[in-house]
Amino acid sequence: MSVTITDVVLRDGLQDEPAVVPVADRVAIAEALVAAGLRHLEAGSFVNPAKVPQMAGAEDLVAALPHQDSVRYTFLALNARGVRRAVAAGARDVLVVASASSGHSRANAGRDSDAALDDLARAVAEHPGTAFRAGISTAFVCPFDGAVAPDRLVAVARRFAVMGIRRIGLADTLGTATPDQVMTSLARVRDALPDIELSLHLHNAHGQALSTVDAAIEAGVTRFDSAAGGYGGCPFAPGAHGNIATEDLVAHLHARGIPTGIDEDVLSTAVATVREALRRAPAPA
């Protein structure tokens, strides 16, 4: 078997840093990650730049990225406005995201989960030619509501499935969910929606993300998100920790004999590119 990694440093990694990386530097980061062998990048998000200034310039980024048939750049949207902006800018792949918990949804999207899902459903229906996948934030633990019941996670995943979305990522937004907790909830979603491909988006509060990866691989999961340098977090989720580092995930998988298609030496150069871009970047205005 092989594992597919989506690097999210350009979106999740940069959004919580006290700096605004210019579009040109974001393009350079993308080029460095592609050179290392990454073929799936979460490149940015179409959100309100007044609330998340680190994601400003998303339209310019779509136009500037070096498009290749073998590389997929995904852009995140939290609402219909974001979806429409992404499609108008030429994004081919859009990640629509809703929270499993309404506490986080109100902080992150300005409305409760069900209202956010209603809005996204209308937007997805408006754009039948766009490739959509879905992400569920706070899939296991919410900083406001506590532990998320598996039944609630299933209900949100089902809403995305009804939209026609066949790939859904489950996010441990805080990074505090235990491997057992993640696997219990993941199993419930798989039982309820056997035709949906699930991936995991893991933050790493207690150094247990790689153990969760191992358990998920044993259960047949082959898609994971990570961020070069371990950057990341959610500005609207107090206590959120950085993502599992792409370089750590790749080294761990390679040590297990699991291929990723990623060159570890070239990846280290990409991580340095991220760090240098952040070092030079100005603080938000």
Side-chain angles (χ1 to χ4, degrees):
M1 68 171 294
S2 62
V3 162
T4 299
I5 295 174
T6 297
D7 191 285
V8 301
V9 70
L10 286 166
R11 198 277 303 173
D12 196 343
L14 298 184
Q15 72 176 6
D16 207 32
E17 291 297 309
V20 178
V21 176
V23 167
D25 284 349
R26 284 182 256 171
V27 171
I29 291 169
E31 291 173 338
L33 292 168
V34 170
L38 271 301
R39 292 296 176 262
H40 298 265
L41 304 181
E42 195 171 295
S45 60
F46 284 84
V47 294
N48 187 341
K51 293 184 176 181
V52 191
Q54 295 88 340
M55 294 292 101
E59 285 87 354
D60 294 335
L61 183 59
V62 173
L65 285 168
H67 290 280
Q68 304 176 25
D69 288 342
S70 63
V71 178
R72 310 297 293 190
Y73 298 110
T74 300
F75 287 83
L76 180 148
L78 293 174
N79 52 38
R81 176 177 172 80
V83 171
R84 292 171 189 136
R85 284 179 58 203
V87 174
R92 295 186 301 164
D93 295 80
V94 178
L95 172 69
V96 287
V97 173
S99 305
S101 60
S102 279
H104 181 258
S105 184
R106 285 188 289 269
N108 193 47
R111 62 187 83 186
D112 67 29
S113 295
D114 290 330
L117 286 160
D118 289 342
D119 186 52
L120 288 172
R122 288 189 289 269
V124 169
E126 288 174 5
H127 300 95
T130 299
F132 286 101
R133 66 182 183 89
I136 304 178
S137 300
T138 57
F140 314 106
V141 182
C142 171
F144 307 103
D145 301 343
V148 174
D151 285 348
R152 175 58 188 165
L153 179 58
V154 169
V156 175
R158 196 183 301 279
R159 289 289 305 274
F160 281 126
V162 169
M163 296 178 205
I165 295 173
R166 314 316 297 169
R167 182 180 296 165
I168 300 175
L170 309 180
D172 180 19
T173 303
L174 295 185
T176 57
T178 66
D180 285 346
Q181 185 178 8
V182 172
M183 296 310 299
T184 296
S185 293
L186 185 144
R188 290 286 292 277
V189 177
R190 293 178 87 176
D191 288 345
L193 300 166
D195 295 331
I196 297 298
E197 182 179 12
L198 298 177
S199 63
L200 287 178
H201 176 105
L202 301 173
H203 290 244
N204 198 25
H206 303 311
Q208 59 194 0
L210 290 177
S211 295
T212 304
V213 168
D214 288 341
I217 288 172
E218 293 303 316
V221 176
T222 60
R223 289 181 175 272
F224 298 91
D225 292 352
S226 60
Y231 292 101
C234 176
F236 307 103
H241 288 70
N243 288 277
I244 185 171
T246 300
E247 60 272 24
D248 292 345
L249 178 57
V250 171
H252 180 74
L253 293 171
H254 288 179
R256 290 192 54 187
I258 299 173
T260 65
I262 298 168
D263 185 307
E264 292 183 58
D265 290 334
V266 182
L267 178 59
S268 67
T269 300
V271 173
T273 301
V274 176
R275 290 177 176 151
E276 177 59 20
L278 283 167
R279 186 190 67 78
R280 294 196 309 264

